Amino acid sequence: MKIPSPLFGRETPPGVIRARVLRSFDASLERIHPEEANAVRGAVVRLLDALQTGQRPAGLGVRKLRGRWWECRSSLGRRILFSLEHDLVTFVQAGTHDEIRRTLHRL
């Protein structure tokens, strides 16, 4: 049974979301404080849970940037850049607002 996803405005079969983490995402986590990295990991888990259940995640501030590119917040100063294609979420970078903008312009 498909459920409407209020997060992305499309129907998503529950439980079939796949995740891929790029080396750039891992590298961005290594450059930040361990507590911030843990907050990013927690936000990733909440985002994946939301995609799988179709529930809107509270406090993540998910928004579409352009095309397949999205961002969400792990804290006020930290963003997560990811792409969403069908059932695959690819995590690209965790960074400040400006870092995410610079990366997005290079893509």
Side-chain angles (χ1 to χ4, degrees):
M1 176 176 136
K2 291 186 177 187
I3 57 172
S5 173
L7 186 60
F8 300 116
R10 63 181 174 87
E11 290 190 349
T12 305
V16 296
I17 299 298
R18 297 176 300 136
R20 182 173 72 163
V21 177
L22 298 183
R23 279 182 270 200
S24 58
F25 186 81
D26 286 334
S28 68
L29 289 183
E30 291 174 6
R31 289 191 299 268
I32 61 177
H33 192 276
E35 286 181 20
E36 285 187 70
N38 285 337
V40 169
R41 290 183 191 98
V44 165
V45 169
R46 290 194 340 253
L47 176 66
L48 291 173
D49 286 345
L51 288 170
Q52 290 177 354
T53 63
Q55 301 281 330
R56 183 176 294 275
L60 288 182
V62 177
R63 70 184 192 115
K64 187 170 188 170
L65 300 173
R66 65 178 168 147
R68 64 187 172 126
W69 299 104
W70 297 76
E71 76 173 4
C72 69
R73 288 190 322 258
S74 62
S75 66
L76 286 176
R78 187 72 50 191
R79 307 281 193 269
I80 301 168
L81 177 65
F82 63 97
S83 69
L84 180 63
E85 296 179 277
H86 306 289
D87 65 343
L88 177 64
V89 180
T90 303
F91 294 96
V92 177
Q93 182 182 12
T96 64
H97 176 79
D98 291 339
E99 291 168 340
I100 296 299
R101 290 283 167 220
R102 280 194 297 271
T103 299
L104 190 60
H105 287 297
R106 288 192 303 257
L107 298 174

